[in-house]
Amino acid sequence: MKLAATAGGGLFLGFSWTGSLASALEVVSDTAIAAGEINFNSYLALSPDGIVTILSPNPELGQNIKTSFPMIVAEELDADWTKVKVVQAPLDTNKFERQVTGGSGAVPHSWERLRKAGATARHMLLEAAAKRWKVSAGTLRTENGFVLNPANGKKLSYGELATEASKVPVPENVKLKDPKDFKLIGTAVRNVDNHEMITGKPLYGLDFYKDGMLFAMIQRPTAFGLKLKSVDATAAKAMPGIVDVVTFKNNVAVVGKSTWQVSKARKALKVQYEAEAALESSADHDRIFKELLNSTDATVRRKDGDVEAAFKSAAKVIKSEYQCPFLSHSPMEPMNFFAHVRPDGVELVGPTQTPERARDQVAELLKIAPEKVTVQLTRLGGGFGRRLSADFALEAAELSSIIKAPVKVIWSREDDMTGGTYRPAVRYRFEAALDAKGNMIGYKLRGVGMNSGNPTREDNFPSGAVDNLLIDSVEHKSPITTGPWRAPITNFLAFAEQSFIDEVAHAAGKDPVQFRLELLDKAKKSPVGEIKYDIDRMRGVINLAAEKSGWGKKKGVAQGFSVYFSHRSYVAQVGEVELKDNKPVIKKIYAAADCGMVVNLSGANQQVRGGIVDGLGHAMYSNLTFKNGAPEQENFNSYRLIRMKEIPEVDVHFVHNGIDPTGLGEPALPPTGGAVANAIFKATGKRLRNQPFAEQEELKTV
């Protein structure tokens, strides 16, 4: 804000981070701060030197929201992008709604709000120019940070008009641009944090530092189902730089003056635990899955028609089971958070996908009003759903309240991988009934999940396209903690569903793409029950992916198809596999995405590519197993992620249908496993039904 203050007038609105109500706005007169920024609304401010400051309220974890949000505002404002400064907004539930990164919902939720913010300021600038020139605002136009008068060629910069425009009454309704007139939206714009990231400037939670703060690392139970029994911290307390060792709840926190000192001291702790729940191993999970797949106590999620009659009359029945393991989120930046609990309020700083949740849960923990808690957002070094939880913020706040000092809690990589909140392990059983003509007349799906909630998506395709359908689920309550993992549930369900549909298509003697299109035609002409996906949008990505990949027309390459609807968007993929030394090698993946209007072409392209790499890597390699409640993989030496040389060529295409954006942070991941597995089957004749693929005998025996 100081950088924008150069010369002359205006109203300056600043945040105070030290008062008891740190989110309260402080109004400073224009004589106190020369050339302060002039706030037009919650999202943008102008300074007399022409700099446009746009606030990005949602957490940025790599989904490019900190660039895309300001692009939407700047488009309607007709701003000069070279003069736009983007600032991460703190949590402010009065000024903003849904300051959350999750569910691929940020742009769909804020699209119209952001457009109105820019259009409102543009209207006020036009009115200010019209008043100065004594003409009708309707005769003027805006372009690249200027108001232009076509009648006489005169122009005024936004900076010249900022102070006058701020005094124009704010309109209740403004006209938004016709998308055909967009100049910025739909183009490729580099990430606004690129320079800071490349040059190592402080951006992330781990970078945050405040004079006087302490560092802490926490010893948590070494297995799920254990509770703290005793602690001997004598040796740890005697080590250099250690300020205190604190026991709270089931944790032991070592507090000191540097991360290195507390890390070494934590290893000197002597901690004993005792079991408070059954200690589960991966072998137990296999047995539990088998039992629950045959359970008579299932929750029916959807039932259409007479399923039992359809299977009794079937000419052919196909039955398969698919299983996925627990997975760690493994963001590059481990969990961390800063907290300073004072008598007059609480200051929180760090990487969170849900700042309001962090604020409210801390307020509840400390028995204070939420208004007394401020949350400042840093950039997130990855999240993938892990930072939807607020446990690490709660740890920092509770510890600060105990030691009466500002503290940053830091998790090590091993803490991050063994500390819980994993992708749930799930097993699915599919059954399909075909008539004599190869039409699918019956469909069954049972999902068994470990703390997964509902491991199915009962209203997704092929629901609505099959006359007789039953989808149910059974849940196992495990002491192993789980939570949302990028594209929750669908991250694996899509692979299982799309692989099974491929199995059914082959059993019916039909082309897999044509088989899906026939099902969609059935849903369009004779829908069964409620259909919650858009048939035409799904058909659109299927046709685009088939066209761009040359589906069925290539020689020497095996192709596999997959399509999925999740988080309001549609993505179809074609995987291509070649045999090299009799082993399948993934050569290329084609992707066709319908996410509505693309805001930032560069960011959207990378979201699809990133989702594919994420989906492929975890389907191929990642696996988290347990022995007596303890994770057996603790770091990247034993928890396998995809490597650079294993990433195939990715060819991305977008459907341009002109509808409002529908989200893209997650939808490209779910179809990838199915496209690759189906291509491997086409190349080898081996059907992959369990992840990770690389550990399956089907691949080892090719």
Side-chain angles (χ1 to χ4, degrees):
M1 285 182 153
K2 290 179 181 177
L3 289 174
T6 54
L11 175 68
F12 182 88
L13 300 178
F15 290 99
S16 168
W17 290 106
T18 56
S20 60
L21 294 177
S23 61
L25 285 172
E26 178 187 356
V27 180
V28 186
S29 70
D30 58 359
T31 56
I33 298 181
E37 291 179 325
I38 302 159
N39 289 57
F40 281 74
N41 51 56
S42 299
Y43 294 96
L44 72 93
L46 281 170
S47 67
D49 65 354
I51 296 295
V52 182
T53 299
I54 300 179
L55 293 177
S56 184
N58 285 45
E60 171 60 74
L61 53 76
Q63 83 284 33
N64 208 44
I65 209 72
K66 194 176 176 182
T67 304
S68 297
F69 268 25
M71 283 178 66
I72 300 169
V73 177
E75 178 67 74
E76 290 289 349
L77 180 61
D78 265 342
D80 178 354
W81 184 253
T82 65
K83 293 185 177 180
V84 169
K85 181 177 65 172
V86 179
V87 175
Q88 176 67 61
L91 175 67
D92 191 329
T93 52
N94 294 320
K95 291 171 65 177
F96 306 111
E97 296 179 8
R98 198 190 181 277
Q99 281 186 269
V100 173
T101 291
S104 299
V107 170
H109 172 270
S110 299
W111 170 250
E112 187 172 343
R113 292 170 176 80
L114 293 165
R115 293 183 68 188
K116 285 182 176 178
T120 298
R122 177 176 171 271
H123 170 91
M124 296 165 73
L125 289 160
L126 282 167
E127 290 292 339
K131 185 176 180 181
R132 185 186 290 196
W133 285 331
K134 296 181 172 55
V135 298
S136 169
T139 65
L140 308 177
R141 66 184 183 89
T142 57
E143 182 180 327
N144 211 33
F146 287 89
V147 177
L148 309 176
N149 187 341
N152 56 22
K154 290 183 178 181
K155 66 179 182 179
L156 289 167
S157 72
Y158 285 178
E160 293 175 276
L161 291 167
T163 301
E164 295 164 69
S166 69
K167 299 172 184 176
V168 171
V170 178
E172 291 187 7
N173 296 296
V174 289
K175 184 179 179 181
L176 302 178
K177 278 187 178 181
D178 188 318
K180 68 179 177 57
D181 296 324
F182 286 165
K183 297 176 182 177
L184 189 60
I185 289 176
T187 65
V189 174
R190 69 183 62 180
N191 191 306
V192 296
D193 283 338
N194 273 358
H195 183 267
E196 285 73 15
M197 286 190 285
I198 291 169
T199 56
K201 298 294 190 300
L203 282 173
Y204 300 93
L206 283 176
D207 297 326
F208 178 79
Y209 178 80
K210 189 170 186 177
D211 288 342
M213 80 176 191
L214 298 172
F215 296 85
M217 298 187 80
I218 295 175
Q219 177 63 49
R220 300 171 186 85
T222 53
F224 294 94
L226 293 180
K227 66 177 181 178
L228 190 63
K229 182 180 180 181
S230 65
V231 180
D232 181 352
T234 306
K237 288 181 177 179
M239 295 178 73
I242 300 307
V243 174
D244 202 354
V245 176
V246 177
T247 300
F248 64 103
K249 291 190 170 67
N250 222 18
N251 302 321
V252 184
V254 180
V255 184
K257 297 179 179 179
S258 75
T259 308
W260 179 243
Q261 289 172 324
V262 299
S263 177
K264 288 200 297 181
R266 185 173 65 160
K267 294 177 182 178
L269 292 173
K270 295 179 180 179
V271 184
Q272 290 186 326
Y273 298 96
E274 58 187 358
E276 63 175 353
L279 302 180
E280 295 182 354
S281 298
S282 293
D284 299 318
H285 297 155
D286 189 58
R287 172 184 52 78
I288 291 167
F289 277 138
K290 290 177 180 178
E291 292 175 356
L292 295 183
L293 277 175
N294 297 312
S295 171
T296 57
D297 186 22
T299 300
V300 175
R301 302 293 178 177
R302 177 165 177 157
K303 187 174 183 180
D304 297 325
D306 190 336
V307 180
E308 297 308 316
F311 275 83
K312 285 180 181 178
S313 66
K316 184 182 291 187
V317 172
I318 302 93
K319 184 175 179 179
S320 291
E321 291 183 10
Y322 289 76
Q323 183 170 325
C324 68
F326 289 99
L327 291 181
S328 168
H329 293 80
S330 300
M332 191 55 65
E333 177 191 26
M335 300 303 107
N336 65 91
F337 226 76
F338 168 86
H340 188 189
V341 178
R342 309 180 309 268
D344 60 343
V346 179
E347 179 186 5
L348 300 177
V349 184
T352 171
Q353 293 178 240
T354 52
E356 186 175 358
R357 174 180 293 172
R359 180 198 69 178
D360 291 350
Q361 290 188 4
V362 166
E364 182 179 358
L365 172 74
L366 301 176
K367 308 301 180 188
I368 60 175
E371 293 75 21
K372 286 188 171 291
V373 181
T374 65
V375 184
Q376 181 180 342
L377 300 173
T378 64
R379 190 178 175 97
L380 288 66
F384 315 113
R386 176 62 182 93
R387 287 184 160 101
L388 290 170
S389 301
D391 53 316
F392 43 93
L394 287 166
E395 285 180 344
E398 185 165 9
L399 183 57
S400 176
S401 71
I402 294 170
I403 65 175
K404 310 299 182 187
V407 64
K408 181 159 76 168
V409 171
I410 297 176
W411 294 41
S412 68
R413 171 58 57 198
E414 288 80 4
D415 293 337
D416 205 64
M417 197 166 287
T418 63
T421 316
Y422 306 117
R423 193 273 298 270
V426 180
R427 182 176 287 184
Y428 295 105
R429 176 183 290 165
F430 294 89
E431 298 177 63
L434 297 177
D435 65 15
K437 295 181 179 179
N439 299 311
M440 187 158 63
I441 58 173
Y443 181 87
K444 293 182 187 178
L445 165 61
R446 169 165 291 186
V448 177
M450 302 274 183
N451 299 339
S452 63
N454 174 12
T456 74
R457 291 294 179 264
E458 62 272 12
D459 294 321
N460 276 8
F461 178 78
S463 293
V466 185
D467 289 328
N468 308 288
L469 175 143
L470 173 64
I471 297 176
D472 60 22
S473 66
V474 187
E475 183 78 348
H476 170 66
K477 297 298 182 183
S478 170
I480 299 171
T481 57
T482 63
W485 191 96
R486 190 175 186 181
I489 302 301
T490 61
N491 54 61
F492 178 80
L493 176 60
F495 152 69
E497 286 180 341
Q498 288 297 302
S499 293
F500 182 68
I501 287 176
D502 203 70
E503 287 194 62
V504 178
H506 281 277
K510 296 182 178 181
D511 174 81
V513 169
Q514 192 57 41
F515 185 71
R516 289 168 173 82
L517 290 173
E518 287 177 5
L519 285 170
L520 289 173
D521 287 342
K522 167 75 165 55
K524 186 81 170 180
K525 295 173 184 176
S526 306
V528 182
E530 186 177 8
I531 295 180
K532 294 186 178 181
Y533 52 90
D534 189 307
I535 295 170
D536 292 331
R537 291 181 70 190
M538 182 171 280
R539 187 156 41 193
V541 294
I542 290 175
N543 289 330
L544 183 59
E547 173 197 341
K548 296 299 182 181
S549 66
W551 175 261
K553 299 176 182 178
K554 294 182 177 179
K555 294 182 179 180
V557 62
Q559 293 182 315
F561 192 85
S562 179
V563 61
Y564 215 71
F565 157 66
S566 68
H567 300 86
R568 298 167 296 276
S569 293
Y570 301 77
V571 179
Q573 294 178 21
V574 174
E576 291 189 343
V577 166
E578 295 179 2
L579 288 179
K580 186 175 181 180
D581 298 328
N582 206 36
K583 295 291 183 182
V585 178
I586 304 160
K587 301 296 291 185
K588 190 169 184 175
I589 296 176
Y590 292 86
D594 178 356
C595 58
M597 200 174 301
V598 172
V599 176
N600 184 348
L601 185 59
S602 173
N605 196 303
Q606 297 306 323
Q607 280 300 297
V608 175
R609 292 172 184 273
I612 288 172
V613 172
D614 204 6
L616 173 62
H618 283 89
M620 286 292 299
Y621 306 113
S622 301
N623 190 11
L624 194 66
T625 59
F626 294 84
K627 186 174 182 179
N628 296 324
E632 294 185 284
Q633 295 76 26
E634 297 184 347
N635 208 318
F636 292 135
N637 62 321
S638 55
Y639 185 80
R640 178 83 152 82
L641 294 178
I642 194 169
R643 295 167 182 152
M644 293 287 286
K645 66 180 181 180
E646 295 162 340
I647 298 173
E649 181 183 351
V650 178
D651 189 11
V652 179
H653 301 271
F654 293 98
V655 173
H656 301 288
N657 52 20
I659 68 174
D660 288 352
T662 53
L664 196 56
E666 292 161 289
L669 185 151
T672 304
V676 170
N678 292 336
I680 290 174
F681 168 77
K682 190 72 179 291
T684 66
K686 305 280 187 175
R687 184 68 71 179
L688 297 171
R689 297 188 179 91
N690 299 320
Q691 291 183 1
F693 299 159
E695 295 183 11
Q696 304 311 309
E697 287 301 318
E698 288 84 353
L699 281 189
K700 294 177 181 178
T701 57
V702 171

